[in-house]
Every structure is written in C-alpha cells, then in structure tokens.
Amino acid sequence: MSKQMRMTKQRGFALLLIGCGILMVLGKTGFGLGILMSWLFPFILMGLGYIGWMNERRFIGGVLFVIGALCVLGKLSGLIPWILAAGFVIGGIILLKRKTSYL
C-alpha cells in the first residue's frame, strides 16, 4: 500500500469532522437526517470530549464533554418530571412497606 493511501488517525478524524459538517449543512438545507442528527450531535461532542480528555487535552475535552452533556440533558428534560414522579411513588411505597418509621 502506498504512503498516500494509508489512513492515519489524524486523517480519519479529519474525515469524520468533514462528514459531520456536511451532515449538519444538509440538515440546515432540509436534506439531512433531521431528528437523528439532533440526537447524534451531542453524543459526538461527548465522544470528542472524552477523546480529548484521554489524550491529555483536559480543558478542551472537558468543555466539549460538558457542552454535549448539557445538550443531552436538554433533550431529556421532558422525561425528568416523569422520572422524578416515579421516584416519589416508589419511595412512598417503600416507606409504607417498612415496619419502622423514621418520622
């Protein structure tokens, strides 16, 4: 295999970034993957942040991971009240089944 045809990590990462950029532009013009990209992009950010953190680029890795995590949290914000309500119900049932009272 020739030297030019070898796929290096840097070249692969560059192609990944180009592909993500193209998908984002297509999404803005109406030809993209829509809802899939809106869910995929935060996880891509978190993955890039993790890679940065592991490669001793702690600041940029942490920033990318936190931005991605906040995006995912924003997408899941509709589920948080349901999870909280289920936790209250389960906690109440557990307290009713116990024989000793803490109150």
Side-chain angles (χ1 to χ4, degrees):
M1 187 181 279
S2 71
K3 202 174 197 182
Q4 292 175 339
M5 296 299 287
R6 287 190 189 146
M7 183 67 91
T8 63
K9 287 183 182 179
Q10 184 178 6
R11 193 174 270 179
F13 183 65
L15 290 174
L16 177 71
L17 289 177
I18 291 169
C20 288
I22 289 172
L23 286 175
M24 290 172 63
V25 169
L26 287 174
K28 292 294 181 186
T29 59
F31 298 109
L33 300 175
I35 191 79
L36 178 64
M37 270 310 284
S38 73
W39 277 97
L40 189 60
F41 188 69
F43 289 107
I44 290 172
L45 278 178
M46 290 173 64
L48 290 174
Y50 177 77
I51 290 169
W53 188 271
M54 289 297 142
N55 288 326
E56 311 235 347
R57 306 260 193 253
R58 304 261 189 227
F59 179 74
I60 191 69
V63 168
L64 287 176
F65 191 86
V66 166
I67 290 172
L70 289 175
C71 290
V72 169
L73 186 62
K75 295 220 173 271
L76 296 176
S77 64
L79 292 177
I80 292 173
W82 290 99
I83 293 170
L84 189 62
F88 284 156
V89 170
I90 292 169
I93 291 171
I94 289 171
L95 286 177
L96 284 175
K97 286 188 175 186
R98 287 191 181 162
K99 293 184 180 183
T100 56
S101 175
Y102 294 110
L103 300 176

